[in-house]
Structures are given as structure tokens and as C-alpha cells.
């Protein structure tokens, strides 16, 4: 199993996208973003996505030269049209717009439509938390048709529709919620398939609606189940309505939707509610109290959401990023077909 160092891997990824016609600044951003997902331990949203993005460039679903544009704007909101640009460029622009608006006022809501896949949604809300703001994100996705069955259904209707929230804490990583509203992110099934491993029960139904542990069944007209039954299903619908219908991005139930994400970011300026010092003081008491919980049998400790990602990033920065052989071979093959030579 190859183990890659983060900086050369990000540079290699950037050179692949540059060879596919992407300006260096955008390609660098996409490379860094994908590698940061691997660092955070979410390999499903890391460099494994290179092949998908290259296919989408070929299909004119991602336009490497496109840039997001503000279509509507007030002091506290904006609607950005990505014009099918890379999702990483669109999401970074959207959250930066939100940060500047929420700083000026108490709140900001930024909608994003017609952009490519934004990758690890948590990356973008974390940027706001690093600036002392709270950020929530609702990203609907997928192309027309969907991949996830509604609760009680045995047909594809929804995307994996992730939700994310980042809340700054003092002397700790930001509290970070960041997960698909399906029982598992689609990319994790792909990682299992590439690694030749079965998936746990309760995640996927085959095309006949029967439970399966074979990851390949998902790609043979199977479907993902929603997370936590009717609760994940309801959150997925909320996300479709906020990220897709409110923004005009579309969604799996709407015709003509191209693979990508529609996103609604909501930002809150803590200092409009109370001083940052007061917020941090109570936040620390709360976090300490949660962390002090006696572990249940089978657990070593209680983690705060965001701790797994922060720990993974620390370990992988030091030890490198392990990739399965299939993913690495596919990346090298894609790079060579574009004339990109080996990793530095
Ligand atoms: P997951 O099931 O791995 O859950 C991750 C979340 O759970 C994080 O907030 C993490 O800190 C928290 N967590 C994990 N273990 C914990 C523990 N023991 N205690 C407390 N908190 C814990 O996530 P997922 O559903 O597999 O999603 C993975 C990634 O895929 C996310 O980054 C998501 O944004 C991304 N995604 C993106 C899209 C898209 O269309 N762009 C679609 C689906 C998923």
C-alpha cells in the first residue's frame, strides 16, 4: 500500500488538473482540498475523486476556467452561480463571502448553485470557525435520479446530502459535525469496493431492494439507505430543500440536474449574541463535562465531533497518507494519460 506525503501529493494533484486545462490557482486549491480530506481521514473525499473530476471535465460538467459569480446580494445574503466551476473554488468563495457579511452584521446566508462537487463539506465551515464564527452548511447533491432511498422506499430518490456545522472552541479543535445524511457516504462504498472489502449490513440495498454487503451492488442500480431511518431521511429532505430548491441548484428529483452540489451556508457572528470570552468560557465547561463522561464498555473515551479529523490530520501529516493500490494505480494512469510525470 503506497504512503504519500501530503505536500507532494497535493502538488501532483494540482499538476494533473493543470494538464486538464485548469488555471494553476484553482488546481492548487483543488489539490490542497482533496489532500486535506485525506488528512482528515475522509479518504472517500480525497484524491480518489481525481478520476471523477477528470471525467466530469471531459463531459463538460466541470468547467476548469469557470468562476463563481454573485447573482443576487443584500447586506446579509448572497446567491452565487458557480457556472459549473470546480466546487472547491465555489465553496471557498461562498464561505469567504459569508464570513465577510457575518462580520459586518450578525448573520449571513449564502446560497450556491451550479457548482461542481464541493468535496468534504466540513472544510468550508471550518474556515469560518477559524475566524471565530459559527457556520452551518446544507449540501444537496447528485444528478437527476439520486442514489439514496427515502425511508421505507426501495428506489433511488435523493443524494447523500451532507450537513456540516463548525463551532469554535477555546484551546481545542472546532466542534465539527460533518456527515452524509445517508447511512454511509457513497465514496466510502467506493473505497471498500476498490479495497476488495465487504461493507457492513444496513447501508446498501441491491437493485431488488434486498440488503447486501457487496459494495458493487450499489453500482448495479442498488441504493444507499438513509442514516438513522426517518431522522436521516428528514434531514436529507431538509438539505434538498435548502441546498437545492431554495438556491435553484436542482436535485435528484428535479430534471436536468448535473452532478455537483447545491449548498446553503448559514453563518452566525458569536459576538452579536454575547462576548467571545463568555461563549468560550461556557463552551469549555460544556466540552470538559462531555469529555469527562465515563466510557461505555468497548470505548476508550468520549470524543467530541471534530476530534477524529484533527487527530487523523496530525498523524497523517507526520506519517503520510496511505492509499489503496487500486486508487493509486488509477491516479497514476490518469496522470500519465495527461503527460504528468511522477510525484516529486
Ligand atoms: P462520518 O460517518 O465519518 O462522520 C463524520 C462525523 O462524525 C464528523 O463530524 C466526526 O467528527 C464525527 N465523529 C466520528 N466519530 C465520532 C465519535 N466517535 N464521536 C464523536 N463524533 C464522531 O461521515 P460520512 O457521512 O462518511 O461523510 C464523510 C465526508 O463525506 C464528510 O466530510 C462529508 O462532508 C462528505 N460528503 C460530501 C458529499 C458531497 O456531496 N460533497 C456527500 C456526502 C458526504
Amino acid at each position: 500500500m503506497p504512503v504519500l506525503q501530503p505536500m507532494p501529493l497535493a502538488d501532483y494533484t494540482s499538476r494533473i488538473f493543470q494538464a486538464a486545462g485548469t488555471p494553476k490557482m484553482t488546481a492548487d486549491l483543488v489539490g490542497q482540498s482533496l489532500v486535506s480530506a485525506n488528512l482528515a481521514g475522509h479518504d472517500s473525499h480525497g484524491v480518489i475523486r481525481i478520476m471523477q473530476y477528470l471525467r466530469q471535465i471531459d463531459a463538460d460538467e466541470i468547467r476548469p476556467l469557470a468562476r463563481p459569480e454573485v447573482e443576487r446580494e443584500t447586506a446579509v445574503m448572497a446567491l452565487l452561480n458557480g457556472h459549473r466551476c470546480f466546487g472547491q473554488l465555489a465553496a471557498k468563495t461562498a464561505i469567504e463571502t459569508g464570513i465577510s457579511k457575518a462580520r459586518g452584521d450578525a448573520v449571513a446566508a449564502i446560497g450556491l448553485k451550479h457548482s461542481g462537487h464541493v468535496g468534504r463539506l466540513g472544510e468550508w465551515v471550518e474556515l469560518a470557525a477559524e475566524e471565530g464564527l459559527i457556520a452551518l452548511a446544507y449540501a444537496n447533491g447528485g444528478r437527476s435520479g439520486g442514489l439514496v432511498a427515502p425511508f421505507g422506499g426501495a428506489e433511488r430518490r435523493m443524494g447523500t446530502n451532507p450537513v456540516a456545522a463548525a463551532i469554535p472552541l477555546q484551546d481545542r479543535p472546532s466542534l465539527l459535525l460533518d456527515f452524509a445524511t445517508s447511512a454511509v457516504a457513497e465514496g466510502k462504498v467506493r473505497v471498500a469496493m476498490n479495497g476488495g472489502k465487504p461493507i457492513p449490513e444496513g447501508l446498501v440495498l441491491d437493485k431488488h431492494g434486498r440488503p447486501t454487503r457487496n459494495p458493487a451492488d450499489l453500482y448495479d442500480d442498488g441504493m444507499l439507505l438513509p442514516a438513522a431511518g426517518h431522522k436521516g431521511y428528514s434531514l436529507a429532505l431538509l438539505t434538498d430543500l435548502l441546498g437545492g430548491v431554495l438556491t435553484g441548484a436542482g436535485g435528484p428529483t428535479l430534471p436536468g440536474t448535473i452532478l455537483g452540489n447545491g449548498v446553503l451556508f448559514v453563518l452566525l457572528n458569536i459576538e452579536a449574541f454575547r462576548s467571545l470570552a463568555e461563549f468560550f468560557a461556557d463552551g469549555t465547561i460544556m466540552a470538559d463535562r462531555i469529555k469527562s463522561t465515563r466510557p461505555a464498555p468497548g470505548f476508550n473515551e468520549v470524543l467530541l465531533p471534530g476530534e477524529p479529523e484533527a487527530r487523523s490530520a496530525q498523524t497523517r501529516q507526520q506519517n503520510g497518507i496511505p492509499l489503496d493500490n487500486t486508487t493509486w494505480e488509477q491516479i497514476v494512469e490518469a496522470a500519465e494519460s495527461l503527460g504528468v510525470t511522477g510525484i516529486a
Side-chain angles (χ1 to χ4, degrees):
M1 178 182 282
V3 177
L4 288 308
Q5 291 308 311
M7 271 174 61
L9 183 58
D11 174 65
Y12 186 57
T13 308
S14 172
R15 287 189 287 124
I16 293 172
F17 288 120
Q18 286 177 58
T22 310
K24 183 172 185 313
M25 266 178 68
T26 307
D28 282 350
L29 172 63
V30 178
Q32 282 154 16
S33 175
L34 292 181
V35 169
S36 84
N38 288 113
L39 283 171
H42 291 293
D43 293 332
S44 57
H45 287 69
V47 290
I48 195 173
R49 296 282 168 169
I50 291 173
M51 284 74 70
Q52 173 194 328
Y53 293 174
L54 290 175
R55 277 195 302 275
Q56 284 196 275
I57 292 173
D58 281 346
D60 197 33
E61 293 182 347
I62 291 178
R63 296 186 178 146
L65 297 174
R67 299 193 65 81
E69 182 187 34
V70 176
E71 217 174 71
R72 286 170 179 244
E73 190 168 26
T74 73
V76 294
M77 65 75 64
L79 176 67
L80 270 61
N81 185 335
H83 297 298
R84 309 253 36 103
C85 70
F86 269 105
Q88 288 78 4
L89 177 64
K92 186 155 189 279
T93 308
I95 199 74
E96 284 173 349
T97 306
I99 290 170
S100 122
K101 285 185 187 292
R103 273 224 193 89
D105 238 299
V107 295
I110 311 296
L112 172 61
K113 65 177 179 180
H114 305 157
S115 99
H117 179 252
V118 302
R120 184 175 77 95
L121 191 60
E123 178 179 356
W124 314 114
V125 288
E126 270 179 334
L127 290 180
E130 281 161 17
E131 301 283 332
L133 300 165
I134 294 172
L136 317 175
Y138 303 85
N140 89 329
R143 53 177 95 244
S144 295
L147 193 62
V148 182
F151 180 63
E155 274 187 291
R156 298 173 168 190
R157 285 290 184 275
M158 308 183 298
T160 53
N161 294 7
V163 293
I167 297 156
L169 294 173
Q170 201 165 28
D171 303 327
R172 282 199 161 91
S174 302
L175 195 88
L176 173 70
L177 286 74
D178 177 26
F179 44 78
T181 52
S182 49
V184 65
E186 180 269 327
K188 290 196 171 156
V189 181
R190 196 182 312 191
V191 171
M193 190 169 71
N194 281 358
K197 293 185 185 137
I199 48 170
E201 260 169 45
L203 306 182
V204 171
L205 300 180
D206 69 12
K207 61 184 166 195
H208 306 294
R210 294 178 304 218
T212 176
R213 296 194 60 202
N214 178 1
D217 283 339
L218 177 62
Y219 304 97
D220 181 22
D221 294 330
M223 63 213 83
L224 294 170
L225 285 164
H230 64 283
K231 300 181 184 182
Y233 161 53
S234 308
L235 265 179
L237 272 186
L238 173 74
T239 303
D240 250 342
L241 285 162
L242 295 180
V245 175
L246 182 68
T247 62
T253 54
L254 296 165
T257 303
I258 293 173
L259 187 63
N261 287 126
V263 191
L264 182 74
F265 290 107
V266 178
L267 293 94
L268 306 172
N269 184 341
I270 295 166
E271 287 184 300
F273 293 81
R274 62 192 305 207
S275 78
L276 207 51
E278 287 171 324
F279 179 85
F280 278 149
D282 281 354
T284 299
I285 293 170
M286 186 184 259
D288 286 348
R289 186 87 185 117
I290 297 290
K291 288 289 299 172
S292 73
T293 314
R294 176 163 32 91
F299 289 83
N300 295 324
E301 63 174 318
V302 169
L303 295 174
L304 293 172
E307 279 188 312
E309 285 79 4
R311 288 184 188 180
S312 167
Q314 204 173 18
T315 310
R316 288 185 167 192
Q317 277 287 6
Q318 279 168 11
N319 304 341
I321 296 167
L323 287 180
D324 67 82
N325 289 326
T326 308
T327 302
W328 184 237
E329 280 161 18
Q330 286 173 352
I331 293 171
V332 171
E333 195 183 304
E336 284 173 354
S337 75
L338 287 161
V340 175
T341 51
I343 192 157

